[in-house]
Amino acid sequence: MSQQQIERVVLVGTGAVAEEIVEIFGPERFVACFTDPAFAGQVRVDLPVVTEMEQLQGIVTHFVLAFSGQTARARLRERLIAMGLHPALPLISPTAQISPSAVLARGAAIGHFVCVGARACIGSDSLIMHSASIAHDSNIGADVFCGQGVKISGHARVGERSILGANAVVARSVVIGPDVEIASGAVCFRDVPDGYSAIGNPARLIPSIAI
C-alpha cells in the first residue's frame, strides 16, 4: 500500500478551486471537505461536508488547502497542524509535466497541463493552476497561488503567500517578495518588494492595496 493510499485527506474549501481539484483528482482521493458553517449552503463538491473542525479528528490525517485568501489559509493551517494533521502529498494532474529534478513540497497542488522545469522548487500548500509554466531553477515559496496560464521564467523567485493572477508573467531572474499580488496579465521585468502589488505591462508597482 502506497503512502498516498494511507493518507486520509480532507479538502479544506468547497468553492470553485475545490471543485476543480476534485474534478482533476477524483472524489475518492478525499475523505471529506471542510467549510465554515456560513458557506455550508454553497458547497460545489460532491464530498461529505464537515463544518466543525474538531469533527475532523479521528477521521482524517492530512489536508489540502483548496481556496484563496491568504489570511484565512494561514489561520486554518495553524489550527489543522495544532490538531495533529499534516499537509498531504503533492497532488499532480496526470496531464502535468514535472521534471524529475523538480522538488514539490507537501500540500502543493498542480493542475492540468502545468509544466515544471528542471530543478524548480514549489513550496508547501502552493496552488499552481492549469497551463501554468514554472521554468528551470525557479523557486516558488510556500502558500503561493498561481492562476491559470502564469509564466515564471528561469531563476525567478516568488516569495511565500504571494498571489499571481491569470496569465501573469515573471521574467528571468526576477525576485517577487512575500505577500505580493501580481494582477492578471501583468508582466514583471523587475523585482517586486515585499507587500507590493504589480499591474500592467510592463508592470508598475503600487503600495499594498487590493487590485
Side-chain angles (χ1 to χ4, degrees):
M1 181 177 293
S2 69
Q3 187 173 1
Q4 187 177 72
Q5 291 172 319
I6 295 172
E7 292 184 347
R8 300 192 305 277
V9 182
V10 59
L11 191 66
V12 182
T14 56
V17 174
E19 182 179 30
E20 291 200 40
I21 288 178
V22 171
E23 288 178 354
I24 295 170
F25 303 104
E28 64 279 0
R29 182 70 182 87
F30 309 99
V31 173
C33 61
F34 171 80
T35 189
D36 187 280
F39 302 107
Q42 305 173 33
V43 174
R44 298 174 60 165
V45 296
D46 187 18
L47 291 168
V49 179
V50 176
T51 58
E52 298 295 334
M53 188 169 289
E54 292 71 20
Q55 295 176 1
L56 296 175
Q57 291 183 311
I59 299 175
V60 301
T61 58
H62 294 75
F63 62 88
V64 170
L65 299 177
F67 63 99
S68 57
Q70 307 309 77
T71 300
R73 286 170 63 91
R75 176 174 53 82
L76 287 176
R77 181 191 300 105
E78 183 176 342
R79 288 186 62 191
L80 290 164
I81 291 174
M83 291 169 54
L85 305 186
H86 307 280
L89 288 170
L91 297 176
I92 304 172
S93 165
T95 64
Q97 295 183 335
I98 311 296
S99 169
S101 61
V103 177
L104 276 60
R106 281 184 166 271
I110 309 297
H112 286 317
F113 307 110
V114 170
C115 292
V116 179
R119 298 171 300 281
C121 296
I122 297 177
S124 61
D125 300 315
S126 287
L127 301 180
I128 313 298
M129 301 305 289
H130 311 314
S131 302
S133 176
I134 313 296
H136 65 91
D137 300 293
S138 55
N139 191 303
I140 310 302
D143 207 17
V144 169
F145 180 87
C146 290
Q148 295 184 3
V150 163
K151 307 297 180 187
I152 297 177
S153 300
H155 298 278
R157 300 288 183 269
V158 178
E160 60 188 12
R161 298 179 302 280
S162 289
I163 299 172
L164 284 71
N167 300 311
V169 176
V170 178
R172 179 181 174 86
S173 300
V174 165
V175 176
I176 306 298
D179 302 300
V180 163
E181 185 170 359
I182 308 298
S184 296
V187 180
C188 296
F189 293 106
R190 56 175 173 156
D191 296 352
V192 181
D194 300 6
Y196 268 66
S197 298
I199 184 170
N201 179 10
R204 64 183 187 275
L205 308 185
I206 56 179
S208 183
I209 61 174
I211 294 177

